[in-house]
Amino acid sequence: MPAILVSEVGPRDGLQSIDPILPLSVKTAWIDALVAAGVREIEVGSFVPAKLLPQLADTAAVVAHALKHSGLTVAVLVPNARGAEAALAAGAHKLTLPLSASETHSLRNLRRTHAQVLEDAAAIATLCKSAAYDVHFEGSVSTAFGCTLEGVVTERKVVELAEALMAAGVDEVGLSDTTGYANPAQVKSVVRAVHAAIGTQHLTGLHLHNTRGLGLANVLAGLDVGITTFDASLAGLGGCPFAPGASGNIVTEDLVFMLEAMGLDTGIDLPRLLDVRKILAAALPDEPLYGFTPDAGLPLGFAVARG
């Protein structure tokens, strides 16, 4: 069966969008349970100033714990070169730098222009190449399918920024539907355009939101054009605090169910993944937890045939 990587982003994207601050012990228990369920990549936090995102102030400690799991790719988001230095000092395997296609969103999110973010990308690429261990550096084009602040984002702009990121030295480019504006036809068109510009091997992942109910439909569109990595958040936690109305990461449980039901191998034990939700339910009693599969349960006789 074809293998698909489900990258869990809840400990970063999910927690940055809610007010409660989870204790380190809960975060580490969450990560341990995800790994036990077969999750192979987790974005565990972000190296941003604690005053901006106090929910992620302990990211270095979370990285240190996650690194104890052999075979787990420990990913983090970095807003600039200083954040990348901290991520490398902590030993993170994968660094993602967001570059918003909408410059208005970039200024709101990072307080940086396109030119400034690209300068940071070049500096981070140099840092990664000189690191004492292998590091994967991704440049993520955020608001790639539309922006709540600027509206329409052109395909040409996304391609232009993807090319600029590759020129700055990133290993790959990701596309993010930060605002939940994307539709399946648009996903196919934009991915094909970026593939044509930078090569299919340099765009393998999508970060999609379910804000308008099209998250899984957009995953199917991505699969059709060769995407093999999809970000998702347990219980659908998350959004973007700097993009008004942009809520709703894809629910990891629903994504894994769909992929496995289609015969695509995620390597994730779905019943064990559903149990992980209990950790969040106990730690965040006042936060809504989303997902159809957890509510309905697995179909009678549902089984995954590993080959």
Side-chain angles (χ1 to χ4, degrees):
M1 292 186 295
I4 301 296
L5 176 63
V6 174
S7 181
E8 172 62 42
V9 300
R12 193 277 301 176
D13 200 0
L15 296 185
Q16 77 172 18
S17 303
I18 62 176
D19 291 331
I21 298 176
L22 285 187
L24 177 62
S25 60
V26 174
K27 293 181 181 180
T28 56
W30 182 6
I31 289 168
D32 292 347
L34 288 169
V35 173
V39 176
R40 293 174 286 142
E41 179 173 296
I42 305 174
E43 191 174 57
V44 302
S46 178
F47 284 93
V48 298
K51 65 181 180 181
L52 296 179
L53 286 176
Q55 303 94 322
L56 306 180
D58 58 358
T59 292
V62 179
V63 169
H65 179 84
L67 288 173
K68 296 176 183 178
H69 290 287
S70 176
L72 174 69
T73 297
V74 180
V76 296
L77 183 139
V78 297
N80 50 41
R82 180 177 297 179
E85 289 174 349
L88 292 171
H93 300 135
K94 177 181 177 181
L95 277 57
T96 297
L97 174 73
L99 170 59
S100 299
S102 156
E103 195 153 41
T104 303
H105 182 264
S106 183
L107 290 167
R108 187 78 60 88
N109 187 35
L110 298 180
R111 301 176 186 175
R112 312 282 280 173
T113 65
H114 284 165
Q116 289 172 320
V117 177
L118 289 168
E119 287 178 5
D120 280 334
I124 294 169
T126 299
L127 289 171
C128 289
K129 289 172 184 173
S130 62
Y133 65 99
D134 290 335
V135 185
H136 192 75
F137 179 31
E138 176 190 51
S140 177
V141 181
S142 306
T143 66
F145 302 94
C147 177
T148 51
L149 301 172
E150 285 190 9
V152 174
V153 169
T154 66
E155 198 170 279
R156 177 180 295 181
K157 173 56 71 173
V158 177
V159 169
E160 172 190 310
L161 293 177
E163 291 176 325
L165 283 167
M166 290 302 301
V170 305
D171 296 310
E172 71 168 317
V173 170
L175 299 181
S176 176
D177 184 21
T178 314
T179 57
Y181 275 23
N183 65 70
Q186 184 186 21
V187 168
K188 288 184 181 182
S189 181
V190 174
V191 169
R192 283 171 175 151
V194 176
H195 276 168
I198 67 174
T200 57
Q201 74 275 25
H202 294 304
L203 168 58
T204 62
L206 292 177
H207 179 103
L208 301 167
H209 284 207
N210 196 45
T211 312
R212 290 166 178 80
L214 294 180
L216 293 183
N218 289 332
V219 169
L220 290 175
L223 288 170
D224 283 347
V225 288
I227 296 298
T228 56
T229 297
F230 296 94
D231 292 354
S233 178
L234 197 81
L237 287 178
C240 178
F242 303 104
S247 61
N249 280 287
I250 292 177
V251 177
T252 305
E253 301 96 309
D254 289 342
L255 174 62
V256 172
F257 171 70
M258 183 187 78
L259 294 172
E260 293 284 349
M262 293 171 62
L264 300 171
D265 185 6
T266 66
I268 295 174
D269 184 317
L270 193 48
R272 295 188 75 170
L273 180 69
L274 293 175
D275 282 342
V276 180
R277 190 181 182 93
K278 297 174 183 176
I279 295 172
L280 292 188
L284 299 169
D286 298 323
E287 288 296 323
L289 303 182
Y290 302 99
F292 290 101
T293 304
D295 289 343
L298 297 177
L300 184 63
F302 178 82
V304 176
R306 302 287 184 206

